[in-house]
């Protein structure tokens, strides 16, 4: 069982280095898609929200990484 968990962890780590960043990006994309499709949000505004959200998530991730390294 530990071997399967280790293989899965290594496989996931090949594609995703920061799990929190990936999860937040997926949630953001899902929220913007839902807003555009279900709430009839104009796609241009959805794209702007996606851009601002991605930049905010990236900034949060960089700050967290800088704190972990002690800078």
């Amino acid at each position: 069982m530990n071997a399967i968990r280790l293989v899965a962890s290594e496989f996931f780590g090949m594609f995703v280095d920061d799990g929190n960043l990936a999860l937040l990006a997926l949630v953001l994309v899902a929220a913007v898609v839902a807003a555009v499709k279900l709430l009839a949000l104009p796609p241009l505004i959805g794209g702007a929200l996606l851009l601002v959200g991605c930049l905010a998530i990236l900034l949060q991730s960089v700050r967290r990484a800088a704190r972990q390294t002690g800078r």
Side-chain angles (χ1 to χ4, degrees), residues 1-7:
M1 188 64 170
N2 287 336
I4 294 172
R5 188 175 297 153
L6 178 64
V7 169

Side-chain angles (χ1 to χ4, degrees), residues 1 3-4 16 20 22 24 27 30-31 33 40-41 46-47 53 65 70:
M1 188 64 170
I4 294 172
V16 179
N20 188 40
L24 287 174
V27 169
V33 166
L41 187 73

